[in-house]
Amino acid sequence: MFTSGYVSNLHSQSGRISDVYNPKKVFIGGISALGLLSVAAGFVNDKIPIIILRALIGIASAMTVPSALTLLVNAFPDPLHQARAIGVFGGFAGVANVLGLLIGAMFVQWASFHWVFWFVGIIAIPVALACLFIIPPEIAKSEDKPNAGIAKWKRLDLIGVSILTVAIVLFIFALTSGSADGWATAEVLVPLIMSILMIAGFFYWETVIPANRAAIPPRTWFYNNFAVLFGLALLPFFWWIVVFTIFTTLWQNIFHWSVISTAVHMLPIGVAAFATSFTGSLSRVFSPKWLILTGLSLLVVATTLLALGGGQPDQYWPYVFPAFALGSAGAMLTYTHTNIAIFQVAPVSMAGTVGALLNGALQFGSAIGLAAVGSIETSVEAAHGGPAEYYGRAAAFWFLLAIVLLEFVSVSWLYQTKTDHLPQPKFDDDNTRAAARQSKEETHETHDINHGSKPMKWETSNSPV
């Protein structure tokens, strides 16, 4: 959970890096670091060094997704092709979740956990080398137009990101400690209050610094439908991670299924997600609103099934299997068309930042959601038979169902279809106007210096003398 929360915050900074620097270099650098760090982690046996290396792997991983989305948006400027590309990109993310579990289970069962890290390195390092030649330079140019007089690293919001990172870690710590230590204890209330104050301080800081240096420029929230789409992005990974966590522990610890058997029973999630990822082109025929609502409807049915049954091995086929298929298809439908819609409302120059916010929301939702679900499950199990019973897991799914219904209502009410299928803006008007004003001021200053004390026409016309 802490890893997901940490990575979710790193996404915001990595997206800004992709906008300021060359996204191709950021992507290749992240993939290379991921591969090398994974190889190194495979040779480690001690707990503390592995935790440190996993944190570094999280940083490297966070550099890859926003930069990859920036490259995709640049490579497919046509809305139809862009929608298909983003849909397939999301589909492979869903498949990777299941294949990663299955491949990891095979290594743990038949070899050792070291091969989980080595396998990532074996894949990542050749991919990074291939991308040096495969990715054309034409799509690797940043759309951001920085001031030549300001160093690029100074345009990264290091202070804001640091504040938000600490706030997220404290918030997750408070949620995970509440069920064990009690919600009224100082160990829970102090970090919870501190995290809320720091989050408020972060958003205030974003309004104080120049917009072109902010990790999350305040104007971003006023793009059409952006706020509701951001809230929607909290759900898909939340649903998947809760399902993975609850049934993995149930099947292995209570049913005593093997790691391989557990992974095989998870296959419907990956198959349904991959099949649904090819629906990207539908967004050019139907409004993303109706496609997203369809996905949420499937999630309502699936989550209800999981809340009603699944606590016995013989309930897999009547309850769990259809819930996995319907729910994963719904989550992927929601994820795919949220991706497509959110990139259509933001300018190309903000692609890296928008992609980072979207994927940060995905990770943040899974971290916060898993912490909340864990607290609910633990509290219910303490009063109703312990972890061997299904009551705590059912309560977690009822809570998840309430979140899905809340998202359904918010999209139905707040999503506006008036900008659907309109051309994607090329540049941020605010940035363009600010750059024009700054250029004009610099021109006037230079002109004044060149002419000494001689009054200029524009100066005398505004002078009270």
Side-chain angles (χ1 to χ4, degrees):
M1 287 180 288
F2 286 102
T3 302
S4 295
Y6 180 58
V7 171
S8 72
N9 190 44
L10 290 174
H11 275 300
S12 63
Q13 188 68 358
S14 64
R16 186 65 187 141
I17 292 172
S18 297
D19 286 337
V20 174
Y21 293 92
N22 187 309
K24 176 180 177 179
K25 294 179 180 179
V26 176
F27 178 75
I28 294 175
I31 292 288
S32 301
L34 173 64
L36 294 174
L37 290 169
S38 297
V39 171
F43 292 98
V44 176
N45 292 309
D46 296 331
K47 181 178 179 180
I48 300 301
I50 286 182
I51 292 175
I52 294 173
L53 285 170
R54 284 199 62 191
L56 295 175
I57 289 172
I59 295 175
S61 301
M63 301 300 293
T64 61
V65 178
S67 55
L69 285 169
T70 302
L71 293 170
L72 273 180
V73 171
N74 293 340
F76 299 97
D78 178 74
L80 178 59
H81 296 161
Q82 187 180 111
R84 289 173 177 170
I86 293 175
V88 174
F89 179 86
F92 277 100
V95 172
N97 279 332
V98 177
L99 283 182
L101 179 65
L102 182 59
I103 294 171
M106 293 169 61
F107 284 136
V108 172
Q109 184 89 16
W110 295 326
S112 69
F113 77 91
H114 302 282
W115 276 100
V116 176
F117 294 106
W118 287 335
F119 180 76
V120 174
I122 292 171
I123 298 297
I125 293 175
V127 167
L129 293 174
C131 287
L132 286 171
F133 306 98
I134 293 175
I135 299 177
E138 292 79 12
I139 67 170
K141 295 178 181 179
S142 174
E143 294 285 348
D144 190 78
K145 308 295 181 183
N147 188 337
I150 302 176
K152 286 188 175 183
W153 69 269
K154 292 183 179 180
R155 305 182 72 240
L156 305 176
D157 186 11
L158 300 178
I159 295 176
V161 171
S162 300
I163 294 173
L164 189 59
T165 299
V166 176
I168 290 175
V169 171
L170 289 174
F171 189 73
I172 294 175
F173 175 80
L175 286 182
T176 53
S177 302
S179 59
D181 301 332
W183 292 100
T185 60
E187 290 81 359
V188 175
L189 291 177
V190 171
L192 182 62
I193 295 172
M194 287 180 61
S195 67
I196 294 173
L197 293 176
M198 292 183 73
I199 291 173
F202 165 76
F203 283 107
Y204 174 74
W205 171 258
E206 297 299 282
T207 65
V208 172
I209 63 174
N212 61 350
R213 301 186 194 181
I216 306 177
R219 65 176 176 270
T220 306
W221 303 104
F222 296 97
Y223 294 139
N224 191 52
N225 294 325
F226 186 88
V228 66
L229 290 170
F230 179 85
L232 190 61
L234 298 170
L235 179 62
F237 280 20
F238 175 19
W239 193 89
W240 275 317
I241 196 67
V242 167
V243 169
F244 272 124
T245 303
I246 286 180
F247 283 100
T248 297
T249 56
L250 174 67
W251 292 344
Q252 292 187 24
N253 299 340
I254 307 302
F255 296 172
H256 303 292
W257 291 359
S258 67
V259 178
I260 297 295
S261 178
T262 298
V264 170
H265 281 81
M266 292 285 184
L267 283 177
I269 294 178
V271 173
F274 186 67
T276 313
S277 68
F278 292 96
T279 62
S281 58
L282 292 178
S283 65
R284 305 307 302 170
V285 180
F286 305 101
S287 169
K289 175 179 181 176
W290 308 120
L291 297 170
I292 291 171
L293 289 176
T294 302
L296 292 174
S297 300
L298 294 175
L299 283 171
V300 169
V301 176
T303 311
T304 303
L305 285 173
L306 295 176
L308 294 175
Q312 300 297 327
D314 59 359
Q315 292 180 334
Y316 175 80
W317 291 108
Y319 289 97
V320 179
F321 179 82
F324 279 6
L326 293 174
S328 191
M332 180 53 66
L333 200 63
T334 304
Y335 170 77
T336 298
H337 295 283
T338 300
N339 263 282
I340 293 169
I342 208 167
F343 277 102
Q344 287 300 309
V345 302
V348 176
S349 60
M350 292 282 290
T353 300
V354 170
L357 288 174
L358 177 66
N359 286 276
L362 292 166
Q363 296 289 341
F364 183 71
S366 66
I368 298 299
L370 188 58
V373 164
S375 296
I376 293 172
E377 184 179 350
T378 302
S379 300
V380 174
E381 287 176 349
H384 296 84
E389 300 294 332
Y390 196 68
Y391 295 109
R393 297 174 179 87
F397 284 120
W398 287 123
F399 170 76
L400 182 57
L401 177 61
I403 300 298
V404 175
L405 290 173
L406 179 63
E407 295 280 13
F408 187 94
V409 172
S410 66
V411 173
S412 301
W413 183 32
L414 299 175
Y415 189 102
Q416 300 178 9
T417 59
K418 61 183 180 181
T419 57
D420 289 344
H421 307 149
L422 290 181
Q424 183 180 16
K426 295 296 181 184
F427 299 99
D428 193 312
D429 292 338
D430 293 341
N431 275 344
T432 304
R433 286 194 294 268
R437 286 196 300 268
Q438 187 173 11
S439 176
K440 184 176 181 180
E441 291 170 1
E442 291 173 353
T443 301
H444 288 165
E445 291 174 2
T446 304
H447 202 43
D448 192 28
I449 292 172
N450 291 339
H451 289 78
S453 59
K454 182 180 178 180
M456 305 306 296
K457 182 179 180 180
W458 63 269
E459 182 180 1
T460 57
S461 63
N462 294 319
S463 172
V465 177

